[in-house]
Amino acid sequence: MNIERFTKYKDQDFKIDFDGDLKDARLREVVSLGDGKTHSLIFQTINYLEVKEQRIYSFKWPDGSDTEDLFIVPVSKDEQGVKYEVVFN
């Protein structure tokens, strides 16, 4: 997966399908991890505080053009929402 595909959507809202329950999640960070092939995405749910288990969930793109299945791992939680990380190798 190419990092440029996500860079243009930074700070935009995706929808995560948590088993039929669609929740908004903002793409907060798009980070290259050094080798040009590995990168990390950080999504944060918006006003949704339930921490979901790490596994594959379906994401709907902000412009409605596509749906992508991504493996997410919860990394933190605050009063605004839960942050999840996606890593591509």
Side-chain angles (χ1 to χ4, degrees), residues 70-84:
L70 301 173
F71 185 86
I72 64 173
V73 177
V75 292
S76 67
K77 176 181 170 182
D78 62 24
E79 64 279 349
Q80 296 176 339
V82 180
K83 287 185 180 177
Y84 295 93

Side-chain angles (χ1 to χ4, degrees), residues 31-75:
V31 179
S32 175
L33 298 177
D35 63 5
K37 297 178 185 174
T38 306
H39 55 277
S40 168
L41 309 175
I42 299 291
F43 290 90
Q44 183 174 21
T45 58
I46 301 169
N47 299 320
Y48 184 68
L49 302 178
E50 183 179 342
V51 178
K52 295 296 190 173
E53 67 180 320
Q54 66 179 34
R55 69 179 180 93
I56 296 172
Y57 293 95
S58 185
F59 282 68
K60 294 183 186 270
W61 290 77
D63 60 9
S65 66
D66 204 359
T67 301
E68 189 85 34
D69 291 336
L70 301 173
F71 185 86
I72 64 173
V73 177
V75 292

Side-chain angles (χ1 to χ4, degrees), residues 2-12 14 27 29-32 39 41 61:
N2 191 321
I3 193 169
E4 286 80 23
R5 182 168 184 214
F6 291 95
T7 302
K8 67 181 179 178
Y9 292 105
K10 186 176 180 297
D11 296 322
Q12 292 189 38
F14 287 69
L27 179 56
E29 296 178 33
V30 179
V31 179
S32 175
H39 55 277
L41 309 175
W61 290 77

